[in-house]
Amino acid sequence: MVNHMKTTLNIDDTVMQRLREEAARRGTTMSALVEAGLRRILARPTPSHAQPDTLPPLPIWRSGGLRVDIANREELYRVMEEE
């Protein structure tokens, strides 16, 4: 015998729309997709000393250099008024 529990979840609107579309594409229910996703996540073994995910490095932009010394208020205002 299989027991099911009815529950309420708060899901972002964009995620919910994608869930509806994916369920329709696969010919299944949103509940079945959510349950399958949760089962997949919960089946992964988690080490007892799990390390946080490593973040990718921040992007670097080449802006062409400084236009003004921001410590010089008058020069900063002058440049801001030009644009």
Side-chain angles (χ1 to χ4, degrees):
M1 179 176 175
V2 177
N3 292 324
H4 293 280
M5 181 187 306
K6 191 170 188 168
T7 189
T8 301
L9 299 172
N10 293 320
I11 300 175
D12 179 78
D13 290 341
T14 57
V15 174
M16 193 65 177
Q17 182 59 39
R18 290 182 64 195
L19 177 62
R20 280 189 194 100
E21 292 168 359
E22 187 63 21
R25 188 181 73 76
R26 293 180 183 225
T28 188
T29 64
M30 293 187 299
S31 293
L33 279 182
V34 170
E35 183 176 344
L38 290 173
R39 287 182 185 277
R40 188 172 183 178
I41 289 170
L42 296 173
R44 294 182 192 159
T46 55
S48 58
H49 51 70
Q51 295 292 323
D53 293 336
T54 303
L55 296 175
L58 293 173
I60 298 172
W61 288 275
R62 306 280 184 233
S63 66
L66 302 174
R67 293 184 58 190
V68 65
D69 178 7
I70 60 171
N72 183 336
R73 181 175 289 178
E74 289 77 25
E75 183 68 10
L76 179 60
Y77 288 150
R78 186 187 63 74
V79 171
M80 289 171 53
E81 288 174 4
E82 289 176 1
E83 295 181 10

